[in-house]
Amino acid sequence: MSVSALREKVRFISGGAECVAWHYPGTNQACVIMAAGGAVTKEPGTDPFARRFHEAGFSVLAFDYRHLGESGGHPRQVVPIGEQLDDWQAAIAHAATLPEVDPARLAIWGFSLSGGHVFPVAARNPRLAAAIAQTPLADGPAATRAAARHQKPLAALRMTGRALLDAVGQLIGLRPLLVPLAGEPGTVALLTTPDGIDGDRALNPDNAYPEWQQAVAARTALSLTFYRPGRHASRIACPLLVLVCDQDQSALPEPAAEAAGRAPHGELVRMPGGHYEPFLDGHERATAAELAFLHRHLPTDHAG
């Protein structure tokens, strides 16, 4: 069956703008709400996992944040963390209204930056049934320091200058100054880590998603430098699965593993590979772990 036959496009409002999502109607009354990392849109960032969750009986709501993809909001290609957290709230509220979904059986899933968002979102929503953070950015300052070792000094200065210029431009209403999501060391890009450049191969094989704009406002680098979502882990009431890859040089495994340990009902899965390994050779292993977790905490024999 084609993907288009499995899902329908739906819309909900967040902050006065329209968010666009794919809704996969399921059969077991549970729903997994999904968002992709950074400036990755819903198709390259969620399709491989969303389809597997849906095949297992789960409804899925996979959405684009405001300013990205098919969702509204201007300017474009910006990643305001506060707004993205608000978009999660709107998505959770919308998922609870889906006709085949039991509002008591909602789970959230995110990877990379959205995986980091899972920590504060789960802490803020104690009625969630489960949460999955896949290769999450749990500690922005630590990831920034580690990433700096993989960049050349002159390129790092140019990136910082562009980020500051973009931030000033934001204050006076100028269009965002964009940089590539990833690039080789020595280039001006958001990520220049060895595994960061795997993003296109992992998420966009054979250019399957040509409409995905792999660029982001340079100011994003500044906000990520200070973002520490893993600190919310101790306040997460629901079961939390944190999946880390031991050679992840983009988001780092240890801050995420430590966050899992602080969560009252945290579970940790470790696997070899870099940041995007769950989309590459490790896809089956990651999917199996996440489905097993969902089946434990959102059992399909739920009554009523």
Side-chain angles (χ1 to χ4, degrees):
M1 184 181 296
S2 68
V3 172
S4 60
L6 300 174
R7 64 191 188 184
E8 59 187 359
K9 201 161 285 184
V10 298
R11 293 165 170 81
F12 57 89
I13 300 299
S14 178
E18 183 179 77
C19 288
V20 178
W22 285 117
H23 169 218
Y24 303 68
T27 58
N28 67 9
Q29 297 185 276
C31 183
V32 184
I33 304 150
M34 306 180 71
V40 183
T41 51
K42 59 189 182 300
E43 290 84 7
T46 68
D47 277 2
F49 288 89
R51 180 161 186 161
R52 296 292 295 276
F53 295 161
H54 180 252
E55 289 171 350
F58 296 95
S59 292
V60 172
L61 185 72
F63 70 96
D64 280 331
Y65 294 111
R66 281 175 284 168
H67 310 285
L68 299 171
E70 294 186 292
S71 290
H74 291 279
R76 306 302 294 171
Q77 300 306 118
V78 298
V79 183
I81 289 172
E83 289 190 22
Q84 291 198 342
L85 295 176
D86 289 343
D87 294 347
W88 270 106
Q89 294 303 120
I92 291 169
H94 184 75
T97 70
L98 296 173
E100 79 283 4
V101 170
D102 177 352
R105 307 185 68 221
L106 303 179
I108 60 173
W109 179 101
F111 86 93
S112 195
L113 176 58
S114 289
H117 291 341
V118 162
F119 297 113
V121 172
R124 185 177 175 182
N125 294 273
R127 297 184 66 182
L128 286 172
I132 297 174
Q134 177 178 292
T135 59
L137 177 70
D139 189 324
T144 299
R145 290 192 299 270
R149 296 198 290 269
H150 302 288
Q151 180 57 295
K152 296 181 179 179
L154 182 57
L157 285 173
R158 290 171 60 206
M159 179 65 205
T160 301
R162 194 166 181 86
L164 292 171
L165 192 61
D166 186 36
V168 172
Q170 176 188 13
L171 298 177
I172 58 176
L174 297 181
R175 293 178 61 182
L177 295 174
L178 302 183
V179 295
L181 288 179
E184 297 283 351
T187 63
V188 175
L190 187 67
L191 271 180
T192 56
T193 50
D195 56 349
I197 57 175
D198 289 335
D200 185 67
R201 177 172 67 94
L203 305 179
N204 191 36
D206 301 317
N207 198 31
Y209 305 103
E211 295 181 356
W212 172 32
Q213 186 178 358
Q214 297 189 46
V216 68
R219 72 189 74 150
T220 305
L222 303 178
S223 58
L224 296 185
T225 298
F226 301 102
Y227 189 42
R228 301 187 66 202
R231 70 186 189 278
H232 297 277
S234 62
R235 298 190 293 106
I236 297 175
C238 70
L240 168 71
L241 176 68
V242 179
L243 186 150
V244 302
C245 292
D246 286 330
Q247 288 76 47
D248 187 340
Q249 295 166 299
S250 298
L252 303 184
E254 291 312 321
E258 291 167 6
R262 292 194 299 272
H265 306 287
E267 302 178 27
L268 177 66
V269 170
R270 304 189 78 120
M271 54 186 286
H275 187 59
Y276 293 103
E277 185 63 20
F279 289 88
L280 295 167
D281 292 342
H283 182 62
E284 290 301 320
R285 181 172 177 178
T287 303
E290 292 172 6
L291 278 171
F293 172 81
L294 291 171
H295 282 305
R296 283 200 308 277
H297 299 293
L298 299 166
T300 56
D301 62 353
H302 174 80

